[in-house]
Amino acid sequence: MNKNILLTITILIFIIIPKYSYGADSELIYLDVKVSPNYSKSDYITLSSDEGFNLYNEDDLQRVFLYIPEDIIYIGSDYNGDIIIFDEKNDEIITLPDDGSVVIGSGHSNESIIKVDKNKYRDYIKFLSIGNYINVINHIELEHYLYGVVPKEMGPSFHLEALKAQSIIARSYALANINSHISEGYNFCDTTHCQAYGAYDNENLITNQAVDETYGQYITYNGNIISANYHSNSGGITEDSGNAWSLSLPYLSSVEDVFSNNAPNSSWSFTLSVSDIQSKLAASGIEVGQINNIEILETTEANRVLSLKIDGSKGESTLTGSQLRSLLGSMNLKSTWFTVNKEGGYQNSKAYVISGKSLFPMEIDLSNIYIKDSGKDIIVNRSNVNRARSMDRTVPLEATYSSAPTTFVFNGRGYGHGVGMSQYGASEMANQGYNYEDIITHYYQGVDILNVGR
Ligand SMILES: [Zn+2]
């Protein structure tokens, strides 16, 4: 290891991370991850450990200040709202500070695993008091956090090289976004808002191996650890971050991605009724009446919809592709790379005529009827004829037959925002023999992989 590089990354980490703490090994980085579910102060939280519990001050994990020789303890509140540890006889053991500055580990000397109700967590647990709620925080070393992230974000069925790329990406993303929830007193939540984190019970031998074999590796651009965004499937071309989030980053620019072409969700179709679209729009305060048309106005060079117009009987509304995706559900409209077609209502090629002998209209294809004018046959279309005439009656077509569509069909490609690594593309690259460095440098332009590991 080049000492200058180590010094640089150490300084870098200090600059980037205002809030983290070190454990016994000064190279370890600890994170605070808020885990689900949310508890109110009237709940009891059960902690279990085979070896009793060690209590530490968060900034001194080398010194146990209290050992509790119990297999099970309970966390609850008293009438003052303080957070208290009780034993099985419901006797108070100690009152905890409500800022999470005391952390609880198991009494096991090598590996601390604590069960909180039904879920097991590595390292330490602490509690933050917020109003009437108690946030359960897993105070966990970065590499252990990745053990819980990689299987949730990619899954053990992927190729080891793809999992190694995912590990480095998740490690880089974590450090670059370390302040995501700092105003709430912790670093990350355990959902895809940050990165999905499944803790100890979701760990897997091969995903842990991928984390271990890439220990200390980060993606950098011009010496800075990057926010390595990723998504499920690009559909064939990734998107510029500037188009997805209006922050254009050189290493998150669009790249051709044939590796995603035949993977799951490379193409998809989603059909929704007009009434369902109307109610989803109305839920967000968008009222356009009966929807007649959805028109794509502008797309990016990577085919994603930038803006579209919804025409209705009471007005029109212009939305971004992302807004429509979030209104209709991001698991329905899987990406903003889509076209839209309307179905139902009558087609422009059809006319309805009433003969005078019958009240029932007959449907005739416009291409088969003509207007006779001074010996010429004029082709009938909607711009020169909008009424059907007969000997004894005149019926406006629109009065009887609505032209409004009944459904809209969205045909699209890819799954997710399309920025950075396509996970299914990475899988295909690995299956074709590319390694994790090839995968990372394909999806992130102009980056280096920095190794500050063992
Ligand atoms: Zn979050």
Side-chain angles (χ1 to χ4, degrees):
M1 164 66 52
N2 182 318
K3 282 257 166 26
N4 287 335
I5 291 178
L6 183 59
L7 182 66
T8 306
I9 190 112
T10 307
I11 292 168
L12 196 64
I13 289 170
F14 265 106
I15 294 167
I16 292 172
I17 312 170
K19 165 108 174 90
Y20 68 101
S21 61
Y22 286 126
D25 181 337
S26 66
E27 285 186 26
L28 298 182
I29 296 168
Y30 278 83
L31 306 168
D32 285 336
V33 183
K34 182 193 163 301
V35 296
S36 306
N38 293 318
Y39 292 94
S40 83
K41 282 196 169 167
S42 58
D43 294 326
Y44 267 93
I45 306 167
T46 307
L47 267 57
S48 325
S49 157
D50 294 339
E51 309 269 347
F53 298 90
N54 283 334
L55 271 59
Y56 308 81
N57 281 309
E58 184 183 22
D59 49 13
D60 185 6
L61 295 176
Q62 296 176 66
R63 196 176 69 83
V64 178
F65 78 78
L66 178 67
Y67 174 67
I68 303 174
E70 304 274 347
D71 293 339
I72 295 175
I73 53 175
Y74 299 96
I75 310 299
S77 289
D78 67 0
Y79 56 90
N80 286 326
D82 291 330
I83 300 175
I84 296 175
I85 299 180
F86 298 91
D87 66 15
E88 285 193 271
K89 294 175 192 150
N90 211 26
D91 290 332
E92 292 187 22
I93 298 174
I94 187 174
T95 299
L96 297 174
D98 61 7
D99 61 357
S101 57
V102 166
V103 302
I104 304 170
S106 89
H108 197 283
S109 53
N110 296 321
E111 186 178 59
S112 173
I113 291 169
I114 290 189
K115 200 168 169 187
V116 181
D117 288 335
K118 292 176 182 165
N119 300 317
K120 288 180 185 159
Y121 298 94
R122 284 185 184 269
D123 298 340
Y124 309 98
I125 295 296
K126 63 183 208 177
F127 301 95
L128 279 181
S129 171
I130 309 282
N132 282 325
Y133 293 91
I134 299 177
N135 284 338
V136 179
I137 307 290
N138 189 189
H139 185 66
I140 186 168
E141 195 269 316
L142 171 62
E143 299 298 307
H144 290 166
Y145 168 66
L146 298 176
Y147 286 169
V149 168
V150 175
K152 286 287 271 189
E153 288 285 0
M154 189 171 249
S157 64
F158 279 64
H159 194 289
L160 179 62
E161 290 301 312
L163 291 169
K164 284 157 82 173
Q166 179 72 59
S167 300
I168 297 171
I169 285 163
R171 186 181 291 114
S172 307
Y173 185 90
L175 277 203
N177 294 283
I178 198 106
N179 290 329
S180 292
H181 288 278
I182 212 69
S183 63
E184 295 148 275
Y186 51 93
N187 300 111
F188 302 120
C189 64
D190 62 355
T191 74
T192 54
H193 171 266
C194 290
Q195 298 189 86
Y197 168 63
Y200 186 74
D201 291 318
N202 281 278
E203 290 183 13
N204 189 282
L205 281 178
I206 191 168
T207 50
N208 284 9
Q209 181 189 346
V211 173
D212 289 343
E213 290 185 6
T214 60
Y215 176 81
Q217 294 190 45
Y218 299 89
I219 310 173
T220 63
Y221 183 86
N222 282 347
N224 295 310
I225 296 172
I226 69 165
S227 177
N229 299 90
Y230 54 93
H231 59 279
S232 179
N233 185 319
S234 74
I237 182 168
T238 70
E239 183 56 279
D240 273 320
S241 63
N243 288 329
W245 307 305
S246 2
L247 176 64
S248 202
L249 295 165
Y251 52 85
L252 293 177
S253 54
S254 174
V255 295
E256 292 281 344
D257 183 29
V258 293
F259 304 106
S260 290
N261 275 347
N262 296 311
N265 295 312
S266 56
S267 66
W268 48 267
S269 185
F270 169 60
T271 301
L272 200 59
S273 72
V274 165
S275 58
D276 281 347
I277 297 174
Q278 283 169 200
S279 63
K280 284 174 189 293
L281 293 178
S284 295
I286 301 169
E287 301 274 5
V288 293
Q290 169 76 34
I291 297 173
N292 292 317
N293 198 25
I294 299 176
E295 182 189 359
I296 291 168
L297 300 176
E298 193 183 0
T299 60
T300 69
E301 286 181 18
N303 306 314
R304 270 76 174 182
V305 174
L306 278 177
S307 62
L308 56 92
K309 186 174 74 172
I310 300 177
D311 275 321
S313 58
K314 294 179 186 167
E316 62 181 47
S317 178
T318 301
L319 301 173
T320 67
S322 299
Q323 283 172 323
L324 186 71
R325 186 170 177 230
S326 108
L327 286 171
L328 301 188
S330 60
M331 288 161 77
N332 297 323
L333 206 59
K334 292 185 167 62
S335 74
T336 57
W337 180 351
F338 59 82
T339 57
V340 56
N341 293 299
K342 56 184 175 183
E343 289 186 348
Y346 63 69
Q347 303 296 307
N348 274 342
S349 63
K350 297 283 174 27
Y352 295 90
V353 295
I354 294 171
S355 72
K357 294 175 186 165
S358 165
L359 288 177
F360 295 102
M362 292 187 302
E363 187 180 293
I364 294 177
D365 197 302
L366 284 179
S367 58
N368 293 330
I369 56 176
Y370 302 91
I371 298 170
K372 290 281 187 189
D373 183 10
S374 308
K376 292 179 191 164
D377 289 341
I378 298 172
I379 296 169
V380 176
N381 60 46
R382 292 218 167 270
S383 67
N384 59 20
V385 171
N386 61 10
R387 287 169 173 243
R389 279 178 188 280
S390 69
M391 287 175 62
D392 54 3
R393 62 174 62 228
T394 301
V395 179
L397 287 176
E398 290 77 7
T400 314
Y401 297 95
S402 166
S403 65
T406 55
T407 56
F408 283 91
V409 181
F410 299 87
N411 291 303
R413 293 192 64 80
Y415 197 170
H417 51 58
V419 179
M421 184 182 76
S422 159
Q423 291 173 308
Y424 278 102
S427 170
E428 179 58 23
M429 284 187 78
N431 289 337
Q432 291 185 20
Y434 293 97
N435 67 23
Y436 70 88
E437 290 169 310
D438 298 327
I439 294 170
I440 286 171
T441 52
H442 169 64
Y443 287 109
Y444 303 97
Q445 299 289 290
V447 300
D448 295 308
I449 298 173
L450 185 65
N451 190 341
V452 295
R454 302 179 177 100

